[in-house]
Amino acid sequence: MNRRARISRHHVPVLALVLAAAAGCSQGGSAPAASNADLEPDQVLADSLIGAWVEAAGGLEAWHDIESARYTITTVWYDSTGGIRRMRPRRVEYRKVDGVEQTRIERPEAEGLYVQTFTGSEMWATLNERLLEPGIRAWDESEYVGRDVVYWFGLPYKLYDPGVNRRAGRSEDGGYEVRVTFGDGVGLQSGDRYFYYFLDDDPWPEQVHYISQGRGEESRARMYWDGYTNVGDFTYVISRLYRDTEMNPTRELRHDDVELNPVLADSIFQRPGS
């Protein structure tokens, strides 16, 4: 289902959805366990906006029902004229084991096939089935990219993970801004900051911005989301398009070929030689 069709199904003013989600939060609905009485007003607003997004996307059950997945994330780079300069697909295999998320990513490059694996407690990488060593970029980034490909695929559901801090307010341009930060030790870059922008009549975010840890406002990356589709009850974003301050496209990330709950052999998550 494309984004326009999905909005028509849920074409309810977002304020009404916010109020409904806030009620669900206080009654043990899909929002986090903390009650509204324990939260500041900007936290209640943030959870209500995200709750409206989650409900429009099918509810938290849609994410909880996923035990494994396969999907392709393709990165597209654009030149200064808006033409495609380069495309790079990554094939992701993902599973949950006793509540721990594990990933295996295949990434073809000119020098061969990289595989990056993160099990929640260990990470490693191979090139053409040869185990690499720490200090090599593909190895060192295995945990970061493993978390990253799940974070974006699992939105909005991942925003309720432990250690995710959510606050919201009215945006200067109208609508709402939800600001997301992370507790100490949450992920490899707990200093990253994300900003989700919602319009008054739409439970789906129109834009998502982020600023990497240690960087300032001048580095803010702007993503424009285009297209939602679903497999069963699970909804995901088809395309995230990065634009510069002059609105020229610079990079795009596309999700394709999504398969939910495939049988994944334990062996593909085992360290070579173990």
Side-chain angles (χ1 to χ4, degrees), residues 49 75 116 146 151 164 171 174 181 188 197 201 203-204 222 227 264 273:
L49 286 161
T75 306
Q116 295 169 291
Y151 179 83
V164 178
S171 174
T181 58
L188 288 182
Y197 293 95
D201 60 349
W204 311 87
R222 293 167 170 81
L264 301 179

Side-chain angles (χ1 to χ4, degrees), residues 66-220:
I66 297 175
E67 295 297 328
S68 62
R70 285 194 187 100
Y71 50 94
T72 298
I73 296 180
T74 302
T75 306
V76 182
W77 286 269
Y78 293 91
D79 61 25
S80 59
T81 68
I84 293 176
R85 178 169 56 87
R86 181 188 171 204
M87 298 179 69
R88 183 192 67 185
R90 289 178 290 172
R91 188 62 171 166
V92 179
E93 292 173 298
Y94 159 78
R95 70 176 184 176
K96 303 171 186 173
V97 178
D98 297 327
V100 176
E101 296 180 330
Q102 301 182 342
T103 55
R104 180 182 186 273
I105 302 167
E106 293 186 357
R107 175 168 58 89
E109 297 287 358
E111 58 270 33
L113 181 66
Y114 286 96
V115 176
Q116 295 169 291
T117 306
F118 176 56
T119 67
S121 58
E122 294 183 276
M123 68 177 184
W124 60 85
T126 63
L127 173 59
N128 297 329
E129 300 183 352
R130 177 177 60 86
L131 189 65
L132 300 177
E133 297 179 353
I136 296 176
R137 183 176 179 179
W139 177 296
D140 294 344
E141 292 183 345
S142 293
E143 179 178 353
Y144 180 82
V145 298
R147 293 183 184 276
D148 189 63
V149 296
V150 176
Y151 179 83
W152 292 111
F153 182 66
L155 288 174
Y157 314 101
K158 297 293 291 179
L159 295 177
Y160 285 151
D161 277 2
V164 178
N165 306 313
R166 305 166 295 272
R167 294 181 179 273
R170 270 291 188 177
S171 174
E172 293 180 358
D173 299 327
Y176 302 89
E177 177 191 70
V178 175
R179 301 175 298 278
V180 173
T181 58
F182 304 91
D184 292 340
V186 179
L188 288 182
Q189 294 188 177
S190 56
D192 287 353
R193 292 174 285 161
Y194 291 85
F195 308 84
Y196 295 81
Y197 293 95
F198 298 82
L199 298 179
D200 281 319
D201 60 349
D202 188 352
W204 311 87
E206 296 296 312
Q207 298 181 39
V208 180
H209 300 182
Y210 76 88
I211 299 175
S212 295
Q213 176 175 286
R215 304 189 70 180
E217 179 64 32
E218 73 285 350
S219 71
R220 178 183 290 248

Side-chain angles (χ1 to χ4, degrees), residues 231-252:
V231 177
D233 293 330
F234 176 70
T235 303
Y236 61 93
V237 180
I238 299 172
S239 171
R240 306 192 306 273
L241 183 63
Y242 293 73
R243 295 183 181 272
D244 61 22
T245 55
E246 297 180 350
M247 294 299 291
N248 298 313
T250 59
R251 184 162 57 104
E252 182 181 10

